[in-house]
Amino acid sequence: MAKGNEKAKSFQSPRGTHDILPADEVLWEKVRDSMRAISVFYGFERIETPHFEDTDLFVAGVGRNTDIVAKEMYSFKTRGGDALTLRPEGTAPVARAYAEHGMMNLPQPVKLYYLDSFFRHDKPQRGRYREFHQWGLEVMGDESPVSDAEVIRVFTLLLEDWNLKDYIIEVNSIGCPVCRSPYRAQLTAYYRSRLRGLCRDCRERFRENPLRLLDCKEERCAIIRKSAPQLLDKLCESCRNHFRLLLEFLEEMKIPYALNPHLVRGLDYYTKTVFEGFLEEPAKAIAATPEPVGGDNAASVDGGAATPAAAGDGEGPPPSAKRLAVFGGGRYDNLIELVGGKPTPACGGALGIERFVGIIRDRGKVPVVPKPKTFFVQLGELAKKKGFRLMEDLRHAGISMAESLGRDSIRSQLKVADRVGAPFALILGQKEALDGTVILREMSSGMQETIPQDKLVETLRRKLKH
Ligand code: HAM
């Protein structure tokens, strides 16, 4: 409490986080409902893992030199001395849970989904938060490219259900350790003589993770990249077949895709398939976006999703329309073993819910909030008390209701009833409360009738039908 003349501090949500207010929840819940329904239909079961994990899980799983692990994790030591991290992504925790709970003994594949929030200490800007939400899908225990295709298909179904049909999927294969290690050597040899022309970040990437040289957004690096050897040309037979089949599935399903040989993504666990799904942001939404303030983190990768075309990265002046990476993922055949399980092929992806909701809102596709069917108006103490039973009758009958129990005057309550758009008001005064009746008022005409309370549900059902 503020003392004497001391002014109370007014708090705001921490930088890069946001509240989802009741008015926003209508859209958020509709979106989450679609995600739950699609997941369940395609045989995915919900999994929830802790908000924090052993820091080493992400170091081992996501990779020590990735931007996420090196720059963006919220890590802390507990009072007991454990090193923990707020989860920056969901795949390593789900892989850990799969191994820890012996899910390899269940019929395979095990298909899991999550709707959770994640934490990255990234530079906040439009579509990029420090706490954000993802809808994730993971298929564990299947090596066939049909699983990669299914994950992509399920994400695109959500977009189509919401009438967002102008998406494009970028796909690439980054091979397996067998084909990647000779390729890495070739790439390193190519870049060694061109180091001087690269940006500072890329000179660092050259030492730590040369594959990431392929996704830099700096123009001078993009020029050098043009003649770099491409992994797609050097895939081993197994990876080449896997990729060819995946593309065949995508074509069969008529999913619009583009090959992006420079798509490597920002997480080290990927093998073979990597993909990213883009939508265009309307120019007006971008123009309305305030420039990110300050910034205490130099990270420039789009939420770990690293493609040269990835948008929302805030580098350079905003173009007239920008593409936004809405979902991304790939195959991770070695991750489960890396976090303590048996070797298990797996793949998956995650969709950023803030970005999805933002696009829906910008394009004016916000669902209409359903109006309550009735509004309960009470007058006097007895009516207030008796009213609860009536409200329960409505709830059990599935008839929606709004009320304003804090108000006493009938006029002000009817005004609210009008504002919320309820077609019927139920008025309970002292007299009605005593003789077991209720006044049913049709809001549009003002016509009223008094009916026994035990006939209310039946009468309402009949009237609402019309
Ligand atoms: P990711 O590409 O880092 O992949 O994130 C997936 C999606 O989450 C992005 O496409 C973006 O829409 C959203 N996202 C990422 N960072 C932010 C942020 N800071 N603010 C708002 N939205 C963000 C992964 O996280 C992998 N675990 C996906 C995966 C699942 N791969 C295999 N299975």
Side-chain angles (χ1 to χ4, degrees):
M1 202 197 293
K3 285 188 211 148
N5 289 337
E6 213 176 284
K7 207 168 166 244
K9 184 173 172 186
S10 63
F11 293 97
Q12 292 178 336
S13 69
R15 203 161 115 76
T17 68
H18 64 104
D19 299 310
I20 307 174
L21 298 174
D24 306 322
E25 281 292 353
V26 178
L27 176 56
W28 272 77
E29 261 315 286
K30 273 237 153 41
V31 165
R32 285 191 276 231
D33 281 348
S34 305
M35 291 167 174
R36 279 188 279 261
I38 299 178
S39 305
V40 170
F41 184 86
Y42 279 88
F44 290 84
E45 293 178 292
R46 174 110 191 231
I47 184 164
E48 290 182 74
T49 59
H51 280 75
F52 50 81
E53 296 270 357
D54 200 322
T55 297
D56 283 344
L57 173 71
F58 300 111
V59 175
V62 177
R64 184 180 296 281
N65 295 322
T66 58
D67 280 354
I68 291 181
V69 171
K71 301 176 186 168
E72 296 171 7
M73 294 209 300
Y74 285 94
S75 299
F76 55 99
K77 269 234 151 74
T78 64
R79 288 166 200 269
D82 295 334
L84 300 178
T85 290
L86 293 184
R87 56 184 181 200
E89 62 96 50
T91 311
V94 171
R96 191 261 312 136
Y98 176 93
E100 183 180 338
H101 301 288
M103 291 191 222
M104 55 291 232
N105 300 319
L106 300 173
Q108 304 293 302
V110 172
K111 295 165 78 177
L112 302 167
Y113 83 95
Y114 45 89
L115 279 170
D116 278 319
S117 71
F118 297 89
F119 307 86
R120 294 184 194 172
H121 189 83
D122 206 343
K123 192 168 150 188
Q125 55 187 279
R126 184 175 165 79
R128 191 187 296 164
Y129 295 88
R130 288 182 171 172
E131 183 184 12
F132 59 96
H133 297 75
Q134 283 185 345
W135 170 41
L137 301 170
E138 312 291 356
V139 183
M140 301 178 153
D142 184 37
E143 60 184 355
S144 159
V146 74
S147 288
D148 313 35
E150 183 185 32
V151 169
I152 296 176
R153 183 64 192 136
V154 174
F155 285 125
T156 60
L157 281 176
L158 179 87
L159 304 191
E160 290 175 13
D161 280 1
W162 282 81
N163 222 1
L164 303 173
K165 299 195 173 139
D166 54 332
Y167 61 83
I168 179 90
I169 316 294
E170 291 197 348
V171 280
N172 190 22
S173 174
I174 55 169
C176 62
V178 173
C179 41
R180 216 183 299 162
S181 84
Y183 172 70
R184 199 190 297 262
Q186 285 179 20
L187 193 68
T188 312
Y190 171 82
Y191 273 107
R192 180 161 288 121
S193 56
R194 296 166 175 86
L195 274 180
R196 280 204 180 168
L198 297 176
C199 71
R200 210 180 58 197
D201 279 353
C202 276
R203 286 202 291 270
E204 215 171 282
R205 286 179 190 134
F206 174 80
R207 271 187 288 114
E208 289 163 355
N209 193 353
L211 234 66
R212 293 290 309 283
L213 288 164
L214 297 175
D215 68 47
C216 181
K217 291 161 197 76
E218 290 278 334
E219 205 186 327
R220 54 186 166 152
C221 301
I223 294 169
I224 296 179
R225 179 176 57 225
K226 271 190 188 145
S227 337
Q230 289 192 4
L231 182 49
L232 269 185
D233 301 333
K234 322 239 178 260
L235 293 178
C236 64
E237 202 185 330
S238 147
C239 290
R240 201 167 40 239
N241 280 337
H242 187 99
F243 195 51
R244 184 177 51 77
L245 281 169
L246 169 67
L247 299 186
E248 283 174 18
F249 280 121
L250 296 183
E251 268 155 39
E252 188 60 38
M253 293 188 285
K254 304 210 168 6
I255 293 178
Y257 73 87
L259 285 185
N260 177 356
H262 299 136
L263 179 66
V264 294
R265 306 218 352 108
L267 303 100
D268 280 357
Y269 49 63
Y270 290 117
T271 50
K272 298 185 178 160
T273 312
V274 284
F275 63 83
E276 218 148 82
F278 294 92
L279 274 169
E280 267 192 15
E281 283 197 286
K284 98 172 173 320
I286 297 159
T289 308
E291 280 298 300
V293 259
D296 46 5
N297 182 322
S300 63
V301 176
D302 191 16
T307 159
D313 290 334
E315 284 170 21
S320 56
K322 264 187 164 186
R323 295 187 326 153
L324 193 64
V326 182
F327 63 86
R331 179 159 280 281
Y332 48 93
D333 288 343
N334 302 323
L335 176 63
I336 294 172
E337 190 181 7
L338 265 179
V339 299
K342 290 194 181 130
T344 309
C347 68
L351 178 142
I353 307 183
E354 276 80 2
R355 295 188 185 184
F356 185 76
V357 164
I359 289 178
I360 301 273
R361 207 174 269 137
D362 292 341
R363 297 190 183 186
K365 293 187 191 294
V366 181
V368 181
V369 187
K371 291 180 180 148
K373 298 272 189 293
T374 59
F375 192 93
F376 178 67
V377 175
Q378 39 66 40
L379 288 164
E381 283 307 308
L382 187 65
K384 256 192 194 127
K385 284 181 197 147
K386 297 269 182 201
F388 282 108
R389 219 212 68 228
L390 267 189
M391 295 188 219
E392 273 308 286
D393 289 348
L394 295 178
R395 190 171 71 84
H396 287 302
I399 300 174
S400 57
M401 186 207 76
E403 41 73 19
S404 183
L405 291 178
R407 281 171 217 257
D408 288 330
S409 102
I410 187 162
R411 245 185 97 215
S412 70
Q413 290 182 68
L414 284 174
K415 246 190 195 164
V416 184
D418 222 21
R419 204 176 59 222
V420 300
F424 292 101
L426 315 173
I427 305 170
L428 196 67
Q430 179 83 356
K431 179 175 172 299
E432 291 76 26
L434 280 172
D435 64 16
T437 58
V438 60
I439 299 171
L440 185 60
R441 178 188 175 96
E442 200 180 285
M443 292 299 290
S444 56
S445 63
M447 300 248 288
Q448 297 194 164
E449 60 180 307
T450 303
I451 51 171
Q453 286 177 15
D454 54 9
K455 292 272 173 319
L456 174 66
V457 165
E458 187 189 318
T459 315
L460 270 173
R461 275 205 179 123
R462 194 164 16 89
K463 289 190 178 277
L464 286 167
K465 241 191 191 163
H466 299 302

